Amino acid sequence: MAKKKDTLKDLNEFMKNQPAESGEADKDYLSKKPTRLAEVEAIKSEIKRLDQLPEGALNENEIADFIIKVAKSQDLSSRQVLYRVCEKVLAQVDDKEGSDILLENLIIYLEHQDLLLSKIKS
C-alpha cells in the first residue's frame, strides 16, 4: 500500500532546507508569521466611508440626464457622449488595471461601430 503524502509537511521540510534570508534559518515555516498582510483596515475604512454617504449622493440620474442633454444640444447620440465621458475619466486614472484597459478598448470598438452604422444608414 502506498504511503499517504502530507503536502504541508513536505513543504515545511523543503522550506527548512532553503537558505535563510534574514536570520530565520531554523524557524519552522508553518509557525512563521506572515511577512505581508492584506490592507484589510484600509478596505474596511473605505467601505465605512461609502456607507456613510447620504442616499443619492452619487447623483447617477443627474449625470445621465446631463449626458442626454449634451447629446441633444450637440446633435449626437447619447452613447457617443457617454463614450467620450468614459474616455476622459479613464484618461485621468493613474494606476490602470486590466479592466480599465479592456473598457478603453471596448469604448473604441463601440464608438467606431456606432459611427460606421450611422454612415451606412445615411
Side-chain angles (χ1 to χ4, degrees):
M1 185 182 287
K3 181 180 174 187
K4 187 173 180 179
K5 290 187 175 187
D6 187 356
T7 308
L8 290 176
K9 286 182 182 178
D10 292 344
L11 176 63
N12 190 32
E13 288 300 316
F14 173 77
M15 293 306 291
K16 279 183 185 177
N17 296 326
Q18 295 301 307
E21 289 183 10
S22 60
E24 301 176 351
D26 295 329
K27 193 168 186 180
D28 193 24
Y29 182 73
L30 293 176
S31 64
K32 282 185 3 182
K33 291 195 179 211
T35 55
R36 186 173 43 145
L37 297 176
E39 297 179 19
V40 175
E41 292 303 318
I43 293 171
K44 283 182 182 177
S45 66
E46 184 69 20
I47 290 171
K48 209 178 269 186
R49 189 178 64 80
L50 289 174
D51 287 341
Q52 293 172 353
L53 287 174
E55 180 138 352
L58 298 178
N59 301 320
E60 295 97 347
N61 293 334
E62 292 176 17
I63 294 170
D65 291 340
F66 181 73
I67 289 173
I68 292 170
K69 286 178 188 175
V70 169
K72 286 180 181 176
S73 69
Q74 299 294 320
D75 197 31
L76 295 169
S77 73
S78 57
R79 285 188 304 277
Q80 290 297 320
V81 176
L82 178 63
Y83 298 156
R84 290 179 186 170
V85 168
C86 290
E87 285 175 334
K88 298 290 183 187
V89 169
L90 290 171
Q92 294 179 6
V93 173
D94 292 331
D95 188 23
K96 291 188 180 178
E97 297 177 0
S99 58
D100 297 329
I101 296 168
L102 182 65
L103 182 58
E104 284 178 331
N105 289 330
L106 180 62
I107 290 168
I108 291 169
Y109 169 76
L110 292 172
E111 191 173 23
H112 293 295
Q113 181 188 27
D114 198 29
L115 289 173
L116 287 172
L117 290 175
S118 67
K119 293 291 183 187
I120 291 173
K121 288 180 182 177
S122 57

